[in-house]
Amino acid sequence: MSKTPFVTKEQIEEIVKTYPTPFHIYDEKGIRENARAMNKAFSWNPGFKEYFAVKATPNPTILKILHEEGCGTDCSSMAELILSEKSGITGYDVMFSSNETPAEEFVKCAEIGGIINLDDITHIDFVLKALDGKLEDGRKLPKRMSCRFNPGGVFTLGESREDVQVMDNPGEAKYGMTKDQIIEAYKRLSSLGVEELGIHAFLASNTVTNEYYPALAKILFKLAVEIKEKTGIKLSFINLSGGVGIAYEPDKPANDIAAIGEGVHKAFDEVLVPAGMGDTAIFTELGRFMLAPYGHLITKAIHEKHIYKEYIGVDACAANLMRPAMYGSYHHLTVLGKEDAPATETYDVVGSLCENNDKFAVDRKLPKIDIGDYLCIHDTGAHGFAMGYNYNGRLWSAELLLREDNSVICIRRAETLDDYFATLGGFWDVEI
Ligand SMILES: *Cc1c(COP(=O)(O)O)cnc(C)c1O
């Protein structure tokens, strides 16, 4: 199997005349088709909604495209709430799955009518105080709210097949409430006038298996039935959150969203329908799955170096894509124009940071790279640009969009030195 870039060398040679490298470019067609496949996979559930995790790709143009395809936003900070609001996405199209949340952010979420997802039972009092006197009709709390669940322990899946093994450690995770707490929280919220309650859990990240969502769904569905039996409270929605991953390596099988949707459907029919909860809405909060494959970081080879290893120096660095440096993540690389050339060389492809982990690829087999070649770093559409930073005074790149008609527009300009120095304006002359 291989990964094919959604842009060609010829297209990039045109684009760089206006927008120099490095830049992230997104594929509108791919984004829309994938969003439609996502919605189709869950179309058996009338209340289904995907709330795109804004943190993955916080760009208003991207949010608007996804909104046109029926998605909402999942926010977790003031900036993300404002981004959503300014992109025209408000009300129940906004989920606020935050943690360690400042009071003013709960207020902002309530103001735009979003769904507050409480990370802890103590946050009930915190939110009551934050919203005191601010809601209409004398309400104490919004009509619709959610609670985040943490089952504790270790979550495992697919133990029989190493290639699909999933393991994560909810017991060590800071998020969510215990089972006893969440049941208590629902009783309290209900007594405070919250009419539509939901549950949310995020147990494993970047799962590359069709079994994660169905397994998580089963846990949450069973808990929802237990909550109904114990408290009489019937949850209105169940939020499977993020965590459906993508295959970053070209030889790994990709997730099949139709199979994942069917797996959740099966668990729904087995657990919720017999309990009289067949009208429960399913929500998701995917980031990576919605966007990662539909973004490339395009960078130019500007140096080659032959010491104890062979290095290719490029004009992007970890400040533009942190995942390889931070997690040792694999990102596939294509040398544009050399798609079919044999991989005769072994390179470390490196950026300019004064940090030796600034390597997009280590010991990677690639075709011979010449100075001036454009490299496409795949799967940067989520948690790519978004995780950028300014270390070593490196600036944020532009974000471009390849439209469905093959035209290219800029959806965020590159940062300039003036931007970088703006927070020092007026402080240049501090006397010491
Ligand atoms: C990060 C995050 C997501 C999205 O995760 P992906 O791995 O990108 O799918 C969804 N919900 C919450 C609460 C998150 O923190």
Side-chain angles (χ1 to χ4, degrees):
M1 263 177 277
S2 67
K3 279 187 187 274
T4 310
F6 56 77
V7 284
T8 61
K9 179 184 177 205
E10 290 67 33
Q11 274 174 303
I12 293 300
E13 282 172 345
E14 263 316 296
I15 294 168
V16 297
K17 290 179 186 164
T18 315
Y19 308 106
T21 53
F23 53 78
H24 286 267
I25 185 164
Y26 305 102
D27 174 22
E28 179 175 2
K29 184 162 178 278
I31 294 169
R32 288 189 187 275
E33 284 174 0
N34 184 61
R36 285 172 201 163
M38 176 77 197
N39 284 324
K40 184 157 176 256
F42 286 88
S43 56
W44 53 268
N45 184 266
F48 175 75
K49 188 170 275 290
E50 150 68 8
Y51 292 84
F52 175 66
V54 175
K55 74 166 190 251
T57 322
N59 186 296
T61 308
I62 300 293
L63 300 187
K64 284 184 213 165
I65 290 171
L66 289 170
H67 193 230
E68 277 184 15
E69 297 298 336
C71 303
T73 54
D74 165 37
C75 304
S76 61
S77 67
M78 184 64 91
E80 291 177 3
L81 287 167
I82 292 171
L83 203 49
S84 181
E85 181 186 28
K86 285 189 182 285
S87 305
I89 307 166
T90 57
Y92 288 162
D93 281 352
V94 178
M95 185 68 63
F96 188 47
S97 294
S98 61
N99 64 98
E100 319 319 326
T101 314
E104 62 270 23
E105 297 184 4
F106 284 127
V107 174
K108 180 71 190 176
C109 179
E111 249 174 45
I112 66 172
I115 306 168
I116 293 174
N117 183 18
L118 295 174
D119 186 60
D120 191 53
I121 189 163
T122 61
H123 296 178
I124 298 176
D125 285 323
F126 191 92
V127 172
L128 274 171
K129 194 165 163 226
L131 298 186
D132 189 25
K134 294 197 169 67
L135 297 183
E136 284 165 21
D137 311 330
R139 296 191 66 89
K140 291 196 175 80
L141 289 172
K143 185 171 166 200
R144 178 183 285 198
M145 291 183 83
S146 173
C147 292
R148 185 165 182 165
F149 174 56
N150 181 334
V154 174
F155 177 78
T156 52
L157 242 195
E159 282 159 291
S160 53
R161 276 181 59 197
E162 204 181 325
D163 60 326
V164 295
Q165 197 164 35
V166 168
M167 202 194 84
D168 230 313
N169 207 339
E172 290 293 325
K174 67 176 178 174
Y175 311 105
M177 311 182 201
T178 67
K179 186 160 140 184
D180 289 347
Q181 287 173 341
I182 209 166
I183 291 174
E184 231 6 78
Y186 288 129
K187 287 194 213 158
R188 180 109 199 276
L189 290 168
S190 185
S191 73
L192 286 162
V194 182
E195 291 157 50
E196 297 165 3
L197 286 158
I199 191 165
H200 164 280
F202 191 161
L203 302 188
S205 210
N206 193 27
T207 59
V208 190
T209 158
N210 295 333
E211 290 151 53
Y212 169 64
Y213 256 8
L216 168 65
K218 207 154 201 178
I219 293 171
L220 295 181
F221 294 170
K222 283 183 175 164
L223 181 55
V225 173
E226 188 181 334
I227 289 163
K228 185 174 169 233
E229 282 165 0
K230 285 193 171 149
T231 67
I233 295 166
K234 190 163 161 278
L235 297 183
S236 309
F237 57 92
I238 294 179
N239 183 344
L240 304 176
S241 187
V244 173
I246 63 143
Y248 286 94
E249 295 85 356
D251 53 356
K252 250 198 190 176
N255 278 331
D256 175 353
I257 198 63
I260 291 173
E262 250 334 283
V264 175
H265 191 180
K266 193 159 158 270
F268 190 93
D269 283 349
E270 270 171 33
V271 183
L272 286 183
V273 172
M277 298 179 72
D279 55 350
T280 312
I282 302 299
F283 295 166
T284 57
E285 286 176 349
L286 295 177
R288 194 184 314 271
F289 183 81
M290 299 305 288
L291 247 295
Y294 315 107
H296 294 327
L297 173 57
I298 305 294
T299 183
K300 187 159 77 172
I302 56 173
H303 292 287
E304 60 181 285
K305 179 165 177 174
H306 320 279
I307 49 170
Y308 308 103
K309 299 181 84 171
E310 295 296 305
Y311 291 95
I312 295 295
V314 296
D315 61 3
C317 66
N320 306 114
L321 176 69
M322 191 200 242
R323 297 185 73 259
M326 189 169 180
Y327 311 116
S329 313
Y330 180 93
H331 277 266
H332 198 62
L333 275 176
T334 302
V335 185
L336 293 175
K338 298 183 178 173
E339 283 82 353
D340 300 319
T344 53
E345 316 296 311
T346 303
Y347 292 119
D348 280 16
V349 177
V350 301
S352 60
L353 297 189
C354 305
E355 279 266 20
N356 198 42
N357 63 1
D358 186 9
K359 298 187 174 188
F360 291 118
V362 176
D363 297 330
R364 185 76 59 91
K365 293 269 184 219
L366 287 167
K368 172 148 189 358
I369 295 175
D370 296 298
I371 303 288
D373 277 350
Y374 292 106
L375 273 62
C376 164
I377 305 179
H378 290 254
D379 301 317
T380 69
H383 311 293
F385 177 92
M387 291 176 84
Y389 53 108
N390 275 131
Y391 194 54
N392 263 168
R394 291 295 162 199
L395 305 179
W396 291 73
S397 79
E399 290 181 291
L400 309 180
L401 180 70
L402 177 66
R403 309 277 340 234
E404 289 181 290
D405 64 2
N406 270 334
S407 63
V408 171
I409 58 168
C410 180
I411 59 172
R412 185 195 306 261
R413 69 163 170 83
E415 193 180 26
T416 64
L417 285 171
D418 283 344
D419 295 330
Y420 179 75
F421 290 127
T423 48
L424 289 173
F427 293 101
W428 289 107
D429 304 323
V430 171
E431 304 240 357
I432 49 165

